[in-house]
Structures are given as C-alpha cells and as structure tokens.
Amino acid sequence: MERFTAAADLHTWSVGQKQAGMKIGLVPTMGYLHEGHLSLIREARRHCDKVIVSIFVNPTQFAPNEDYDAYPHKEAEDIALCEAEGAAAVFLPTPEEMYPTGASTWVEEVTLAKGYCGAQRPIHFRGVCTVVAKLFNIAAPDVAVFGQKDFQQVAVIRRMVRDLNFPVRIIRAPIIRDEDGLAKSSRNTYLSPDARKSALCLSRALAAAGEAVANGERNAAVIESAIRETTTAEGWLPDYVNVVDSETLMPLETICPGASAILLACRKNGLRLIDNILL
Ligand code: AMP
C-alpha cells in the first residue's frame, strides 16, 4: 500500500493509475477508523480497482468551541486497517499541506447546508465542502464513498458535485451499527458507559418510527413527537428531529415511503449524537 503526505505526489500517482486504465475510488475520513469506515472501503473496492483512503482531521469544519484538539487519533492502527481492507493508498496530509498560509478560498453550498446540523454548526459544511473539493482535485477519483451516518453531508456533497461539475460518482453506504443498535462513530469514545447505554434511545426511537411507517403511519408530526418523547425520557434532548425528503432535505408533513428519511440530533451533558433512518 502506498502512503502519501504530499498532495502533488498523490495526484501524480492517481493520474498514472488512471492512465493505466484503473478506476479510482476515494474514501475520505478523519481517522480513528471503525467498522463503518471499513465498510466504505469495501464498498469502494466493489466499484473501483484502486481505493485511496484519506485520513485528515479537517480543522476548517470545527468551530473554535468544538473538539478539534481532542479528536481521537490512532494513525498506525488506521494505516494497518486500510492495508488489511485492500486499500491501494492512504493520504495523510498535514494541515499545512491542505491549507497553505493565507489560504482564502472556500467552497460553500448554501441551501442544503443551512438547516439541521448546519443550524447548530454554521461553518461546518463550508469546511467539509472545501476539504472534499480539494480531495477530489488531489486524488482525481472516479467514485467517492460517504456514509449514510452523515445523511446531510452526503446530500450537500452530491449537490456540490452536481453544481460544480466534479466528474465523481458519489455513493452513499448504509449505517454500520454496534450489535445493540448504536451507530458507530469515532466520537462514541467520548461516551461514558452510562451515557452509551442511554444513547441507545436514538436508534431505538428511529427503529420504532421505521416500524410505525411500515405499519402505515404517514403523519410526520406524530412520528417526530414519538421520537422526541423516547429520547427526552433518557435525557437526550433533540437539537432537531425531522421527517424530510431524502434528496432535498425539505421537511415533510406526510411521509412518502421510498423518498423520506428521519434526521435526528440529540444532546446530553455536552455530548451530541446524530442518527437517521431511510423510510
Ligand atoms: P468521519 O471519519 O467521521 O469523518 O467519517 C468518514 C466517513 O465515514 C463519512 O462518510 C461517514 O459518514 C462515514 N461513517 C462514519 N460512521 C459510519 C457508520 N457508522 N456507518 C457508515 N459510515 C460511517
């Protein structure tokens, strides 16, 4: 497996691979890899000959009050995991490599990025779009795989790709969960055993909502208040819980199975978790 820290070196390698007829896949991550990330690498390998995994904790998507400095790292183990999954290359740039002194250009999606997580984290998606656009230019992938875990992120990136004509196909891979239902996340390491136990209310509430819809419920307000009640009872207060159109993210009053999703973010004791379900 190749390792790159310089953007120009990865670009040269990737373009060479493409000239040799290889289809290139990219899996952008912030490291501290878990089974969710590994599922994205596997999905990318199904569609591509050579998969590049980027590992970069992107400073521009964190607000000053967020956890950039505390974000967990385990670089050597991450590299070994990428190799074991058959990645062809890892890209481990420094912040200086990605953001040269005086960097002053942003990529900003201004519609889908405004609500939900964007309302709580006003600069977050601008940082995400900027770093992903840079990674697309550096790695020149044919395909990029993102997790449904960050539902709004995939919608924003798909819009950016469409609007800016990036020649990249975006694949959304399903959420990987622990056996008890908790969506895997690098940030789950912040959860105490008690908080982790109570956090199961998010996936439980969404699963119950999915069942209610399967049994014929179509009223979004009814579903949203049932979720709100379940999580609040465990001390996880919703930042938002919305039934939305799965493409435009517009809130829906009436659920349309096959084209709707429920987006959920909850807080407890300064911790924040997100989860979602496609209906
Ligand atoms: P992160 O390292 O948190 O930036 O995540 C990198 C990629 O992995 C993003 O596309 C995430 O949506 C995806 N991802 C994170 N957790 C999961 C999960 N539990 N299941 C599937 N994909 C995930």
Side-chain angles (χ1 to χ4, degrees):
M1 186 177 69
E2 307 285 339
R3 285 183 209 188
F4 298 101
T5 51
D9 292 346
L10 173 61
H11 187 74
T12 303
W13 177 84
S14 184
V15 168
Q17 293 295 325
K18 287 172 93 161
Q19 281 166 352
M22 298 296 152
K23 197 166 167 190
I24 303 291
L26 174 69
V27 178
T29 81
M30 297 206 298
Y32 209 71
L33 302 183
H34 52 66
E35 192 56 36
H37 299 109
L38 304 185
S39 76
L40 306 188
I41 301 175
R42 271 174 232 141
E43 180 66 15
R45 286 194 68 200
R46 274 195 279 281
H47 299 274
C48 300
D49 303 300
K50 301 281 178 183
V51 173
I52 302 165
V53 181
S54 64
I55 298 176
F56 178 60
V57 183
N58 175 36
T60 64
Q61 69 191 64
F62 291 77
N65 62 332
E66 294 180 353
D67 58 342
Y68 177 69
D69 290 323
Y71 200 83
H73 292 264
K74 55 176 177 67
E75 190 175 294
E77 201 181 324
D78 286 351
I79 292 170
L81 285 169
C82 292
E83 185 147 34
E85 284 303 332
V90 285
F91 180 44
L92 302 136
T94 59
E96 296 72 32
E97 178 70 8
M98 291 300 276
Y99 297 103
T101 306
S104 53
T105 306
W106 297 101
V107 179
E108 190 170 16
E109 193 286 326
V110 297
T111 301
L112 302 180
K114 283 297 173 237
Y116 315 112
C117 284
Q120 316 290 328
R121 308 180 71 190
I123 63 157
H124 176 70
F125 288 112
R126 181 185 75 164
V128 169
C129 284
T130 302
V131 81
V132 170
K134 288 169 66 70
L135 290 169
F136 286 176
N137 286 333
I138 294 165
D142 300 288
V143 169
V145 183
F146 293 86
Q148 181 198 324
K149 166 77 183 5
D150 299 281
F151 199 96
Q152 186 177 13
Q153 171 170 280
V154 192
V156 168
I157 286 168
R158 281 193 168 145
R159 179 63 61 89
M160 175 189 84
V161 161
R162 185 199 76 172
D163 291 351
L164 298 185
N165 303 87
F166 280 102
V168 182
R169 182 175 152 221
I170 303 300
I171 293 177
R172 183 178 65 202
I175 302 177
I176 303 297
R177 298 178 179 279
D178 285 335
E179 271 173 27
D180 55 12
L182 186 69
K184 285 185 183 281
S185 165
S186 307
R187 288 187 168 105
N188 288 351
T189 180
Y190 301 153
L191 294 169
S192 67
D194 275 356
R196 195 197 169 287
K197 208 164 153 202
S198 67
L200 296 177
C201 66
L202 277 79
S203 54
R204 198 170 65 236
L206 290 173
E211 257 175 56
V213 173
N215 292 330
E217 181 61 71
R218 294 291 177 268
N219 186 327
V222 167
I223 291 283
E224 289 164 1
S225 56
I227 293 171
R228 198 171 279 281
E229 219 168 273
T230 302
T231 66
T232 304
E234 294 285 348
W236 286 93
L237 306 183
D239 267 353
Y240 60 79
V241 46
N242 286 101
V243 176
V244 302
D245 177 287
S246 51
E247 195 177 324
T248 65
L249 306 187
M250 291 297 283
L252 297 176
E253 284 178 13
T254 305
I255 293 163
C256 175
S260 309
I262 306 172
L263 307 186
L264 174 64
C266 293
R267 271 179 210 276
K268 182 177 185 177
N269 296 336
L271 294 173
R272 185 170 178 280
L273 292 175
I274 59 171
D275 202 344
N276 66 80
I277 186 171
L278 271 167
L279 298 171

PDB file of all heavy atoms in Angstrom, residues 28-31 34 36-37 39-40 71 146-147 149-150 153 174-176 183-184, ligand 1:
ATOM      1  N   PRO A  28     -12.999   9.466   1.987  1.00  0.00           N
ATOM      2  CA  PRO A  28     -12.476  10.490   2.900  1.00  0.00           C
ATOM      3  C   PRO A  28     -12.866  10.180   4.345  1.00  0.00           C
ATOM      4  O   PRO A  28     -14.030   9.876   4.625  1.00  0.00           O
ATOM      5  CB  PRO A  28     -13.172  11.789   2.439  1.00  0.00           C
ATOM      6  CG  PRO A  28     -13.763  11.474   1.092  1.00  0.00           C
ATOM      7  CD  PRO A  28     -14.071  10.006   1.142  1.00  0.00           C
ATOM      8  N   THR A  29     -11.898  10.247   5.249  1.00  0.00           N
ATOM      9  CA  THR A  29     -12.179  10.011   6.678  1.00  0.00           C
ATOM     10  C   THR A  29     -11.352  10.985   7.528  1.00  0.00           C
ATOM     11  O   THR A  29     -10.412  11.608   7.044  1.00  0.00           O
ATOM     12  CB  THR A  29     -11.784   8.588   7.145  1.00  0.00           C
ATOM     13  OG1 THR A  29     -10.358   8.553   7.403  1.00  0.00           O
ATOM     14  CG2 THR A  29     -12.124   7.528   6.119  1.00  0.00           C
ATOM     15  N   MET A  30     -11.732  11.019   8.802  1.00  0.00           N
ATOM     16  CA  MET A  30     -10.918  11.770   9.769  1.00  0.00           C
ATOM     17  C   MET A  30     -10.160  10.806  10.682  1.00  0.00           C
ATOM     18  O   MET A  30      -9.675  11.201  11.749  1.00  0.00           O
ATOM     19  CB  MET A  30     -11.804  12.703  10.594  1.00  0.00           C
ATOM     20  CG  MET A  30     -12.486  13.754   9.715  1.00  0.00           C
ATOM     21  SD  MET A  30     -12.922  15.263  10.575  1.00  0.00           S
ATOM     22  CE  MET A  30     -14.075  14.647  11.781  1.00  0.00           C
ATOM     23  N   GLY A  31     -10.075   9.527  10.254  1.00  0.00           N
ATOM     24  CA  GLY A  31      -9.288   8.577  11.040  1.00  0.00           C
ATOM     25  C   GLY A  31     -10.028   8.056  12.253  1.00  0.00           C
ATOM     26  O   GLY A  31     -11.239   8.212  12.373  1.00  0.00           O
ATOM     27  N   HIS A  34     -13.225   2.769  12.291  1.00  0.00           N
ATOM     28  CA  HIS A  34     -14.030   1.676  12.856  1.00  0.00           C
ATOM     29  C   HIS A  34     -14.707   0.944  11.702  1.00  0.00           C
ATOM     30  O   HIS A  34     -14.501   1.284  10.525  1.00  0.00           O
ATOM     31  CB  HIS A  34     -15.042   2.231  13.870  1.00  0.00           C
ATOM     32  CG  HIS A  34     -15.874   3.360  13.342  1.00  0.00           C
ATOM     33  ND1 HIS A  34     -16.793   3.195  12.315  1.00  0.00           N
ATOM     34  CD2 HIS A  34     -15.917   4.687  13.657  1.00  0.00           C
ATOM     35  CE1 HIS A  34     -17.375   4.344  12.048  1.00  0.00           C
ATOM     36  NE2 HIS A  34     -16.853   5.283  12.835  1.00  0.00           N
ATOM     37  N   GLY A  36     -17.538   1.093  10.445  1.00  0.00           N
ATOM     38  CA  GLY A  36     -18.277   1.936   9.491  1.00  0.00           C
ATOM     39  C   GLY A  36     -17.367   2.409   8.360  1.00  0.00           C
ATOM     40  O   GLY A  36     -17.702   2.301   7.178  1.00  0.00           O
ATOM     41  N   HIS A  37     -16.179   2.913   8.731  1.00  0.00           N
ATOM     42  CA  HIS A  37     -15.221   3.348   7.709  1.00  0.00           C
ATOM     43  C   HIS A  37     -14.807   2.167   6.818  1.00  0.00           C
ATOM     44  O   HIS A  37     -14.691   2.299   5.606  1.00  0.00           O
ATOM     45  CB  HIS A  37     -13.948   3.912   8.362  1.00  0.00           C
ATOM     46  CG  HIS A  37     -14.165   5.117   9.231  1.00  0.00           C
ATOM     47  ND1 HIS A  37     -14.054   5.066  10.594  1.00  0.00           N
ATOM     48  CD2 HIS A  37     -14.476   6.397   8.928  1.00  0.00           C
ATOM     49  CE1 HIS A  37     -14.268   6.269  11.111  1.00  0.00           C
ATOM     50  NE2 HIS A  37     -14.535   7.106  10.121  1.00  0.00           N
ATOM     51  N   SER A  39     -16.409  -0.441   6.054  1.00  0.00           N
ATOM     52  CA  SER A  39     -17.477  -0.811   5.103  1.00  0.00           C
ATOM     53  C   SER A  39     -17.440   0.100   3.876  1.00  0.00           C
ATOM     54  O   SER A  39     -17.779  -0.325   2.772  1.00  0.00           O
ATOM     55  CB  SER A  39     -18.846  -0.760   5.784  1.00  0.00           C
ATOM     56  OG  SER A  39     -19.283   0.585   5.929  1.00  0.00           O
ATOM     57  N   LEU A  40     -17.028   1.347   4.062  1.00  0.00           N
ATOM     58  CA  LEU A  40     -16.924   2.268   2.916  1.00  0.00           C
ATOM     59  C   LEU A  40     -15.772   1.840   1.993  1.00  0.00           C
ATOM     60  O   LEU A  40     -15.882   1.932   0.767  1.00  0.00           O
ATOM     61  CB  LEU A  40     -16.688   3.711   3.371  1.00  0.00           C
ATOM     62  CG  LEU A  40     -17.643   4.353   4.372  1.00  0.00           C
ATOM     63  CD1 LEU A  40     -17.335   5.840   4.514  1.00  0.00           C
ATOM     64  CD2 LEU A  40     -19.086   4.165   3.988  1.00  0.00           C
ATOM     65  N   TYR A  71      -9.944  15.551  19.224  1.00  0.00           N
ATOM     66  CA  TYR A  71     -10.405  14.489  18.322  1.00  0.00           C
ATOM     67  C   TYR A  71      -9.446  13.291  18.395  1.00  0.00           C
ATOM     68  O   TYR A  71      -8.225  13.458  18.331  1.00  0.00           O
ATOM     69  CB  TYR A  71     -10.519  15.006  16.883  1.00  0.00           C
ATOM     70  CG  TYR A  71     -11.421  14.131  16.047  1.00  0.00           C
ATOM     71  CD1 TYR A  71     -12.801  14.291  16.077  1.00  0.00           C
ATOM     72  CD2 TYR A  71     -10.904  13.099  15.260  1.00  0.00           C
ATOM     73  CE1 TYR A  71     -13.645  13.470  15.338  1.00  0.00           C
ATOM     74  CE2 TYR A  71     -11.740  12.268  14.527  1.00  0.00           C
ATOM     75  CZ  TYR A  71     -13.105  12.462  14.573  1.00  0.00           C
ATOM     76  OH  TYR A  71     -13.934  11.640  13.851  1.00  0.00           O
ATOM     77  N   PHE A 146     -19.317   7.819   0.734  1.00  0.00           N
ATOM     78  CA  PHE A 146     -19.608   8.501   2.001  1.00  0.00           C
ATOM     79  C   PHE A 146     -20.657   7.688   2.752  1.00  0.00           C
ATOM     80  O   PHE A 146     -21.429   6.938   2.148  1.00  0.00           O
ATOM     81  CB  PHE A 146     -20.145   9.916   1.743  1.00  0.00           C
ATOM     82  CG  PHE A 146     -19.130  10.836   1.131  1.00  0.00           C
ATOM     83  CD1 PHE A 146     -18.944  10.869  -0.242  1.00  0.00           C
ATOM     84  CD2 PHE A 146     -18.341  11.659   1.921  1.00  0.00           C
ATOM     85  CE1 PHE A 146     -17.993  11.704  -0.819  1.00  0.00           C
ATOM     86  CE2 PHE A 146     -17.381  12.496   1.357  1.00  0.00           C
ATOM     87  CZ  PHE A 146     -17.210  12.520  -0.014  1.00  0.00           C
ATOM     88  N   GLY A 147     -20.720   7.852   4.071  1.00  0.00           N
ATOM     89  CA  GLY A 147     -21.643   7.067   4.884  1.00  0.00           C
ATOM     90  C   GLY A 147     -22.975   7.772   5.079  1.00  0.00           C
ATOM     91  O   GLY A 147     -23.019   8.987   5.284  1.00  0.00           O
ATOM     92  N   LYS A 149     -24.519   7.587   7.634  1.00  0.00           N
ATOM     93  CA  LYS A 149     -24.458   8.076   9.018  1.00  0.00           C
ATOM     94  C   LYS A 149     -24.532   9.609   9.045  1.00  0.00           C
ATOM     95  O   LYS A 149     -25.188  10.197   9.889  1.00  0.00           O
ATOM     96  CB  LYS A 149     -23.153   7.587   9.674  1.00  0.00           C
ATOM     97  CG  LYS A 149     -22.769   8.254  10.976  1.00  0.00           C
ATOM     98  CD  LYS A 149     -23.588   7.721  12.094  1.00  0.00           C
ATOM     99  CE  LYS A 149     -23.358   8.345  13.454  1.00  0.00           C
ATOM    100  NZ  LYS A 149     -22.484   9.444  13.606  1.00  0.00           N
ATOM    101  N   ASP A 150     -23.824  10.242   8.093  1.00  0.00           N
ATOM    102  CA  ASP A 150     -23.852  11.713   7.990  1.00  0.00           C
ATOM    103  C   ASP A 150     -24.743  12.076   6.796  1.00  0.00           C
ATOM    104  O   ASP A 150     -24.274  12.463   5.733  1.00  0.00           O
ATOM    105  CB  ASP A 150     -22.431  12.234   7.824  1.00  0.00           C
ATOM    106  CG  ASP A 150     -21.568  11.880   9.024  1.00  0.00           C
ATOM    107  OD1 ASP A 150     -21.671  12.560  10.051  1.00  0.00           O
ATOM    108  OD2 ASP A 150     -20.821  10.878   8.947  1.00  0.00           O
ATOM    109  N   GLN A 153     -24.538  15.464   5.171  1.00  0.00           N
ATOM    110  CA  GLN A 153     -23.249  15.639   4.496  1.00  0.00           C
ATOM    111  C   GLN A 153     -23.291  15.065   3.077  1.00  0.00           C
ATOM    112  O   GLN A 153     -22.810  15.692   2.126  1.00  0.00           O
ATOM    113  CB  GLN A 153     -22.158  14.950   5.322  1.00  0.00           C
ATOM    114  CG  GLN A 153     -20.817  14.873   4.636  1.00  0.00           C
ATOM    115  CD  GLN A 153     -19.733  14.401   5.579  1.00  0.00           C
ATOM    116  OE1 GLN A 153     -19.223  15.180   6.371  1.00  0.00           O
ATOM    117  NE2 GLN A 153     -19.384  13.126   5.533  1.00  0.00           N
ATOM    118  N   PRO A 174     -24.650   2.319   3.621  1.00  0.00           N
ATOM    119  CA  PRO A 174     -25.530   2.238   4.796  1.00  0.00           C
ATOM    120  C   PRO A 174     -24.805   2.444   6.127  1.00  0.00           C
ATOM    121  O   PRO A 174     -23.585   2.271   6.211  1.00  0.00           O
ATOM    122  CB  PRO A 174     -26.113   0.820   4.735  1.00  0.00           C
ATOM    123  CG  PRO A 174     -25.585   0.170   3.530  1.00  0.00           C
ATOM    124  CD  PRO A 174     -24.599   1.071   2.852  1.00  0.00           C
ATOM    125  N   ILE A 175     -25.586   2.758   7.158  1.00  0.00           N
ATOM    126  CA  ILE A 175     -25.027   2.970   8.511  1.00  0.00           C
ATOM    127  C   ILE A 175     -24.630   1.632   9.116  1.00  0.00           C
ATOM    128  O   ILE A 175     -25.425   0.691   9.111  1.00  0.00           O
ATOM    129  CB  ILE A 175     -26.078   3.626   9.440  1.00  0.00           C
ATOM    130  CG1 ILE A 175     -26.560   4.948   8.864  1.00  0.00           C
ATOM    131  CG2 ILE A 175     -25.507   3.802  10.845  1.00  0.00           C
ATOM    132  CD1 ILE A 175     -27.652   5.604   9.702  1.00  0.00           C
ATOM    133  N   ILE A 176     -23.423   1.553   9.630  1.00  0.00           N
ATOM    134  CA  ILE A 176     -22.987   0.371  10.378  1.00  0.00           C
ATOM    135  C   ILE A 176     -23.192   0.665  11.868  1.00  0.00           C
ATOM    136  O   ILE A 176     -22.801   1.729  12.359  1.00  0.00           O
ATOM    137  CB  ILE A 176     -21.505   0.044  10.091  1.00  0.00           C
ATOM    138  CG1 ILE A 176     -21.290  -0.165   8.587  1.00  0.00           C
ATOM    139  CG2 ILE A 176     -21.060  -1.166  10.892  1.00  0.00           C
ATOM    140  CD1 ILE A 176     -22.043  -1.327   7.966  1.00  0.00           C
ATOM    141  N   ALA A 183     -25.216   3.646  16.362  1.00  0.00           N
ATOM    142  CA  ALA A 183     -24.467   3.888  15.121  1.00  0.00           C
ATOM    143  C   ALA A 183     -23.001   4.074  15.476  1.00  0.00           C
ATOM    144  O   ALA A 183     -22.663   4.859  16.381  1.00  0.00           O
ATOM    145  CB  ALA A 183     -25.014   5.122  14.418  1.00  0.00           C
ATOM    146  N   LYS A 184     -22.115   3.375  14.788  1.00  0.00           N
ATOM    147  CA  LYS A 184     -20.688   3.503  15.089  1.00  0.00           C
ATOM    148  C   LYS A 184     -20.211   4.906  14.750  1.00  0.00           C
ATOM    149  O   LYS A 184     -20.636   5.486  13.741  1.00  0.00           O
ATOM    150  CB  LYS A 184     -19.884   2.485  14.299  1.00  0.00           C
ATOM    151  CG  LYS A 184     -20.011   1.077  14.855  1.00  0.00           C
ATOM    152  CD  LYS A 184     -19.113   0.112  14.127  1.00  0.00           C
ATOM    153  CE  LYS A 184     -19.270  -1.304  14.615  1.00  0.00           C
ATOM    154  NZ  LYS A 184     -18.572  -1.584  15.877  1.00  0.00           N
TER     155      LYS A 184
HETATM  156  P1  AMP B   1     -15.515  10.632   9.709  1.00  0.00           P
HETATM  157  O1  AMP B   1     -14.210   9.947   9.908  1.00  0.00           O
HETATM  158  O2  AMP B   1     -16.383  10.672  10.914  1.00  0.00           O
HETATM  159  O3  AMP B   1     -15.382  11.964   9.011  1.00  0.00           O
HETATM  160  O4  AMP B   1     -16.315   9.713   8.689  1.00  0.00           O
HETATM  161  C1  AMP B   1     -15.764   9.380   7.441  1.00  0.00           C
HETATM  162  C2  AMP B   1     -16.816   8.692   6.612  1.00  0.00           C
HETATM  163  O5  AMP B   1     -17.263   7.518   7.287  1.00  0.00           O
HETATM  164  C3  AMP B   1     -18.069   9.567   6.387  1.00  0.00           C
HETATM  165  O6  AMP B   1     -18.525   9.392   5.064  1.00  0.00           O
HETATM  166  C4  AMP B   1     -19.034   8.996   7.393  1.00  0.00           C
HETATM  167  O7  AMP B   1     -20.385   9.176   7.028  1.00  0.00           O
HETATM  168  C5  AMP B   1     -18.665   7.539   7.355  1.00  0.00           C
HETATM  169  N1  AMP B   1     -19.136   6.857   8.559  1.00  0.00           N
HETATM  170  C6  AMP B   1     -18.908   7.218   9.845  1.00  0.00           C
HETATM  171  N2  AMP B   1     -19.555   6.399  10.688  1.00  0.00           N
HETATM  172  C7  AMP B   1     -20.203   5.491   9.917  1.00  0.00           C
HETATM  173  C8  AMP B   1     -21.065   4.380  10.197  1.00  0.00           C
HETATM  174  N3  AMP B   1     -21.382   4.042  11.449  1.00  0.00           N
HETATM  175  N4  AMP B   1     -21.553   3.678   9.161  1.00  0.00           N
HETATM  176  C9  AMP B   1     -21.244   4.037   7.878  1.00  0.00           C
HETATM  177  N5  AMP B   1     -20.447   5.061   7.549  1.00  0.00           N
HETATM  178  C10 AMP B   1     -19.939   5.780   8.551  1.00  0.00           C
END
